[in-house]
């Protein structure tokens, strides 16, 4: 009997996306540009993070019609975002047959205590994290892929670097701990014990670990890959730049050739201006998207 | 040494399988690396992305030439890339196995699945676990192609000469029989040395 929607099958799709670029798109035309540039998947959302930041208001899951239009024009996986804890939005996206759901801090949270119990779904989920405890809580709830939160819509890589370094360093520490230290470590980071034990043994997350939140240039993509990301999400970085199509292509190439500086010179040459971006001091503390999620 | 095309996709999973078999492997990102390997794996991933990346560095011709003398194993997107033709102008395949394929023919991710399959390898019948992720279907099989496994009456694993193309992902389930079979000769050479 065919077994659909198992955790392994969900993680399986995440494995296939490795080394590819997942791009935020707001309509079918952008989705087409992304696919033509070599994107491995598109993330359909009504407003990219930089615009959500600019315009304010409540950010919700996208209009099903817009997602259907995108599904019609591209052959690559289509992902879409739901508000943290909003399992009804997730049920709707599952019925629409999106390929991956992002329970995302970029949208306005619907539940300030609980995330979605993702094991109940056939569709796989990706969730953001800032440290290992947060990553393992999300995996415990059923996330099949983890990404750093970074600071979405900032065009600033500093927070993605902070979060990736934090996760990597948290994992390294577990690998050198004695068995009798692991329970206290699990307690300190608020993570499920079984997953803490697994990371201590493997030295890596049990699901793919991607980078997101602030990638704007091929060099940013290379940086995140060298820090241990297995691929990158690009949100505002493409369609807020002056040259979306060539920039999208360049970031796709940079993820494949991230270890080859000579090739990166070639890839980075001749691009127009990247998105302007924000210094973290320009984003007041209460308005940082990364602080959403528990 | 066996190369794994590492432009995009689950190439690390294939390297883990080769490690388990004690086979030396390398990630292939440049056409000139084909000169130093004795077999190639084209992994799972997105065939549109692979097409773009292969075209940008000119991989098509060198892989075709490589395939004349050396075995290639393709899984899922790898099978699509090895096919003679694909019902989608976004993908430019290599024409190494005489089959036509339809991309994502089982549907979107919620229809992805795992099941067990009968496989006939070296005139032996085996059963294997198989994971299909947004998998392609083989819509036409050429006269010199041998179907080594079918699912629901449709071919899902094909062999032509020394090449193997699979619609599913043995690398996700730690299944080693297809890697062992495709690179049998290379494996023997290593062990004889």
């Amino acid at each position: 009997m065919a077994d659909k929607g198992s955790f392994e099958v969900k993680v399986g799709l995440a494995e296939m996306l490795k080394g590819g670029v997942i791009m935020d798109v707001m309509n079918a035309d952008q989705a087409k540009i992304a696919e033509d540039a070599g994107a491995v998947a598109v993330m359909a959302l009504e407003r990219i993070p930089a615009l959500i930041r600019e315009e304010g208001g409540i950010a919700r899951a996208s209009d099903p019609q817009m997602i259907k239009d995108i599904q019609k024009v591209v052959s690559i996986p289509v992902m879409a975002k739901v508000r943290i804890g909003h399992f009804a939005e997730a049920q709707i996206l599952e019925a629409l047959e999106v390929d991956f759901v992002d329970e995302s801090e970029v949208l306005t949270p619907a539940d300030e205590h609980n995330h979605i119990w993702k094991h109940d779904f056939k569709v796989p989920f990706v969730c953001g994290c800032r440290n290992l405890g947060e990553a393992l809580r999300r995996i415990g709830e059923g996330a099949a892929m983890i990404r750093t939160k970074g600071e979405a819509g900032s065009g600033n890589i500093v927070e993605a670097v902070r979060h990736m370094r934090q996760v990597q360093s948290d994992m390294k520490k577990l690998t050198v701990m004695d068995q009798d230290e692991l329970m206290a470590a699990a307690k300190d980071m608020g993570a499920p014990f079984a997953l803490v034990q697994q990371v201590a043994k493997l030295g890596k997350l049990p699901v793919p670990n991607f980078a997101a939140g602030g990638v704007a240039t091929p060099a940013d993509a290379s940086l995140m890959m060298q820090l241990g990301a297995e691929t990158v999400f690009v949100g505002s970085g493409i369609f807020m730049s002056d040259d979306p199509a060539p920039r999208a292509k360049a970031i796709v190439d940079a993820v494949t050739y991230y270890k080859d500086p000579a090739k990166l010179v070639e890839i980075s040459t001749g691009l127009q201006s990247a998105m302007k971006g924000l210094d973290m001091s320009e984003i007041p503390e209460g308005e940082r998207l990364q602080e959403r999620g528990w | 040494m066996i190369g794994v095309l590492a432009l995009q996709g689950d190439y690390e999973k294939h390297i883990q399988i080769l490690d388990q078999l004690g086979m030396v492997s390398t990630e292939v990102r440049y056409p000139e690396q084909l000169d130093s390997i004795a077999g190639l794996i084209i992994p799972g991933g997105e065939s549109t992305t692979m097409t773009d990346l292969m075209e940008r560095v000119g991989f098509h011709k060198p892989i075709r030439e490589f395939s004349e003398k050396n075995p290639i194993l393709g899984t899922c997107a790898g099978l699509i890339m090895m096919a003679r033709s694909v019902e989608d102008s976004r993908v430019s395949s290599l024409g190494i196995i005489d089959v036509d394929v339809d991309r994502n023919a089982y549907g979107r991710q919620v229809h992805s699945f795992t099941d067990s399959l009968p496989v006939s390898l070296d005139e032996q019948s085996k059963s294997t676990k198989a994971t299909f992720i947004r998998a392609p279907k083989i819509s036409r099989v050429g006269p010199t192609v041998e179907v080594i496994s079918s699912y629901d009456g449709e071919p899902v694993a094909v062999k032509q000469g020394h090449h193997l193309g699979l619609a599913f992902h043995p690398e996700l389930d730690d299944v080693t029989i297809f890697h062992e079979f495709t690179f049998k000769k290379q494996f023997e050479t290593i062990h004889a040395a």
Side-chain angles (χ1 to χ4, degrees):
Chain A
M1 253 279 289
D3 181 14
K4 290 185 184 182
S6 69
F7 189 64
E8 289 70 25
V9 165
K10 295 176 186 173
V11 175
L13 178 57
E15 293 286 346
M16 298 313 141
L17 301 173
K18 282 185 178 174
V21 180
I22 301 155
M23 301 183 191
D24 277 6
V25 298
M26 295 183 286
N27 54 51
D29 289 343
Q30 290 186 349
K32 194 77 200 102
I33 292 172
E35 182 177 64
D36 289 345
V40 78
V42 291
M43 175 75 71
L45 73 175
E46 223 123 284
R47 292 181 291 168
I48 54 179
L51 295 177
I52 293 175
R53 203 179 277 291
E54 247 172 67
E55 295 165 7
I58 303 297
R60 307 179 178 90
S62 297
D63 175 5
Q65 188 58 52
M66 176 262 225
I67 294 171
K68 284 185 195 169
D69 291 345
I70 290 174
Q71 285 174 324
K72 237 176 266 160
V73 300
V74 298
S75 61
I76 54 180
V78 175
M79 303 187 173
K81 289 183 192 287
V82 298
R83 287 178 268 180
I84 289 171
H86 207 315
F87 54 84
E89 283 184 347
Q91 289 161 350
I92 292 169
L93 292 187
E94 181 174 62
L96 264 173
E97 300 197 351
V98 304
D99 295 289
F100 237 102
V101 173
D102 186 357
E103 187 184 17
S104 175
E105 69 282 2
V106 166
L107 305 186
T108 313
D111 188 326
E112 294 191 334
H113 288 289
N114 309 295
H115 282 250
I116 297 170
W117 181 249
K118 295 167 268 289
H119 287 294
D120 278 352
F121 289 79
K122 276 203 169 81
V123 64
F125 280 72
V126 53
C127 289
C129 76
R130 294 187 294 175
N131 52 51
L132 183 59
E134 199 173 9
L136 297 183
R137 287 194 293 280
R138 299 296 85 81
I139 297 168
E141 294 154 359
M145 180 204 296
I146 289 296
R147 58 171 173 77
T148 55
K149 285 181 173 171
E151 185 58 29
S154 69
N156 187 342
I157 200 67
V158 67
E159 295 300 301
V161 168
R162 189 193 316 281
H163 302 158
M164 185 55 74
R165 285 216 185 261
Q166 186 67 49
V167 170
Q168 301 291 355
S169 132
D170 292 345
M171 290 197 292
K172 270 182 227 158
K173 281 179 202 147
L174 288 186
T175 60
V176 294
M177 279 184 188
D178 290 336
Q179 175 63 38
D180 42 18
E181 294 175 294
L182 292 178
M183 185 60 87
K187 182 186 163 201
D188 287 345
M189 65 173 90
F193 180 61
L195 291 173
V196 168
Q197 277 184 305
Q198 210 177 334
V199 172
K201 206 172 140 195
L202 293 174
K204 58 186 298 231
L205 293 181
V207 303
N209 181 14
F210 294 0
V215 177
T217 67
D220 289 344
S222 165
L223 177 66
M224 295 314 299
M225 295 295 286
Q226 293 189 57
L227 287 174
E230 293 172 300
T231 201
V232 301
F233 284 77
V234 187
S236 315
I238 291 172
F239 290 102
M240 288 299 279
S241 75
D242 291 343
D243 51 355
R247 181 164 298 269
K249 265 192 201 317
I251 294 176
V252 169
D253 287 355
V255 166
T256 298
Y257 296 101
Y258 71 96
K259 285 186 282 196
D260 182 344
K263 193 94 183 160
L264 289 166
V265 170
E266 195 185 300
I267 291 167
S268 309
T269 303
L271 292 176
Q272 295 174 36
S273 295
M275 72 180 281
K276 184 161 174 271
L278 291 167
D279 187 78
M280 289 311 292
S281 62
E282 296 174 74
I283 311 173
E285 284 215 1
E287 291 176 23
R288 294 184 184 170
L289 301 172
Q290 58 178 282
E291 286 156 18
R292 298 164 163 181
W294 2 96
Chain B
M1 190 160 61
I2 306 299
V4 184
L5 194 65
L7 298 176
Q8 190 275 318
D10 72 335
Y11 50 87
E12 267 178 29
K13 288 276 163 192
H14 282 283
I15 288 173
Q16 285 167 15
I17 300 276
L18 295 173
D19 283 349
Q20 277 181 42
L21 293 171
M23 247 182 247
V24 184
S25 62
T26 187
E27 294 177 4
V28 175
R29 292 191 176 82
Y30 308 91
E32 54 274 23
Q33 286 176 277
L34 294 170
D35 298 338
S36 55
I37 57 174
L40 180 71
I41 294 172
I42 307 181
E46 278 303 318
S47 52
T48 48
T49 305
M50 283 187 204
T51 294
D52 278 9
L53 288 162
M54 281 171 60
E55 282 176 349
R56 273 179 234 176
V57 291
F59 252 120
H60 281 80
K61 193 165 165 259
I63 292 182
R64 273 189 207 114
E65 286 167 8
F66 176 85
S67 74
E68 285 164 21
K69 290 200 177 130
N70 305 283
I72 301 182
L73 168 65
T75 64
C76 196
L79 163 70
I80 297 172
M81 296 313 295
M82 290 172 81
R84 190 199 67 170
S85 108
V86 182
E87 299 266 317
D88 190 331
S89 60
R90 288 172 278 214
V91 174
S92 140
S93 64
L94 294 156
I96 289 170
I97 298 183
D98 187 17
V99 291
D100 295 352
V101 297
D102 285 342
R103 298 175 62 215
N104 308 333
Y106 289 89
R108 300 180 189 279
Q109 173 62 11
V110 290
H111 303 290
S112 293
F113 62 97
T114 301
D115 210 336
S116 65
L117 283 183
V119 186
S120 105
L121 278 177
D122 281 336
E123 290 162 18
Q124 281 181 348
S125 187
K126 296 179 180 178
S127 172
T128 182
K129 191 178 169 189
T131 297
F132 293 77
I133 306 285
R134 287 171 42 95
K137 282 190 181 180
I138 299 168
S139 54
R140 185 196 62 88
V141 177
T144 58
V145 175
E146 183 190 344
V147 175
I148 62 166
S149 182
S150 295
Y151 184 75
D152 269 353
E154 294 176 303
V156 292
V158 288
K159 176 181 177 296
Q160 181 169 19
H162 44 225
H163 307 304
L164 212 55
L166 314 174
F168 51 93
H169 295 282
E171 73 279 11
L172 290 181
D173 293 312
D174 283 332
V175 171
T176 58
I177 51 174
F178 301 101
H179 294 72
E180 274 175 277
F181 178 79
T182 313
F183 305 116
K184 210 169 19 187
K185 263 198 201 141
Q186 288 68 21
F187 198 50
E188 281 162 9
T189 322
I190 295 166
H191 284 256

